[in-house]
Amino acid sequence: GYAASIEAIGSLAARYVQPGTQCYDLGCSLGAASLAMLQGSRTPDCQIIAVDNSEAMVDRCAEIVAGHDNIELVLADVRDVPIENASMVVMNYTLQFLDPDSRDALVARICDNLVPGGLFVLSEKVVDEDPNIEDMLVDQHHEHKRRNDYSQLEISRKRAALENVLIPETVAAHRKRLADAGFTHSAVWLRYFNFVSIVAIK
């Protein structure tokens, strides 16, 4: 569902990016969400701050977004970056890699620094409350990988590499955090197996 989420971020930007405000791509990777926001935005003064803590990723992203002066790349931990006057913030599969104890504070800070009516897009791998459903979703995800030419060894290695690094939560836990942070509305708008994208409006 990643491609669908990037396409929709552009459509959401057209509606939610406000003149004279900033947008943030926290955990920007190669800049796909940043470019989607820039291309979708209808405001010529849209400024996007794209943040990643990997120097190699930021360097590669700089090559991809070269020529787009509205995108500012920042090499930093997303927890350390000031968020100011934001109308749209995107975290695409980033929160899940942060220490769970630091997640509440970051989401609250995002909400506090969004302008009224601002939008937060949070995409995450989740776990289902029902263990049987969770097992089925994981099996389906692995089957999807096999159909796309991943070997069993590659699937096992990736799972081992992410264990205790990627710490997923339930959709209910994410929505509670968003409500506690001060978001007025939130909903899952995209789901593919155990990957979801949630929109939250201040």
Side-chain angles (χ1 to χ4, degrees):
Y2 182 75
S5 71
I6 294 299
E7 181 180 352
I9 283 168
S11 298
L12 291 166
R15 177 169 180 174
Y16 286 96
V17 174
Q18 301 177 30
T21 63
Q22 300 188 116
C23 300
Y24 290 80
D25 183 1
L26 302 178
C28 65
S29 186
L30 297 180
S34 296
L35 288 169
M37 281 190 282
L38 182 64
Q39 291 160 3
S41 170
R42 294 175 179 165
T43 63
D45 61 349
C46 172
Q47 183 69 25
I48 295 164
I49 294 90
V51 183
D52 206 284
N53 67 351
S54 165
E55 186 172 1
M57 199 72 77
V58 169
D59 289 346
R60 181 73 182 103
C61 185
E63 296 173 6
I64 293 170
V65 304
H68 296 287
D69 296 336
N70 293 44
I71 299 177
E72 175 189 349
L73 285 170
V74 178
L75 175 63
D77 188 306
V78 295
R79 291 166 289 194
D80 299 331
V81 173
I83 298 170
E84 300 171 332
N85 189 36
S87 60
M88 186 169 178
V89 176
V90 173
M91 289 190 79
N92 249 359
Y93 306 102
T94 301
L95 192 68
Q96 61 199 16
F97 290 106
L98 302 184
D99 176 3
D101 291 339
S102 68
R103 297 176 187 182
D104 289 0
L106 176 58
V107 172
R109 188 159 62 84
I110 289 169
C111 186
D112 289 344
N113 291 284
L114 277 167
V115 298
L119 182 77
F120 179 35
V121 179
L122 176 66
S123 303
E124 290 280 284
K125 184 177 184 180
V126 296
V127 291
D128 200 273
E129 290 90 344
D130 184 329
N132 292 312
I133 297 297
E134 174 63 16
D135 288 344
M136 181 270 287
L137 291 171
V138 170
D139 288 346
Q140 287 297 307
H141 182 219
H142 290 167
E143 179 58 29
H144 171 76
K145 286 184 173 182
R146 281 189 285 271
R147 287 197 308 269
N148 286 276
D149 298 324
Y150 280 73
S151 70
Q152 189 58 48
L153 180 60
E154 287 172 318
I155 293 169
S156 298
R157 281 180 173 168
K158 183 165 185 182
R159 188 169 192 175
L162 292 176
E163 192 170 356
N164 300 320
V165 176
L166 188 165
I167 303 174
E169 298 175 285
T170 64
V171 170
H174 284 297
R175 294 193 66 188
K176 182 180 185 303
R177 178 179 293 117
L178 292 165
D180 291 346
F183 285 97
T184 307
H185 309 282
S186 73
V188 172
W189 65 275
L190 179 67
R191 179 161 190 160
Y192 195 86
F193 300 140
N194 45 3
F195 297 87
V196 304
S197 192
I198 299 169
V199 289
I201 303 169
K202 182 172 178 178

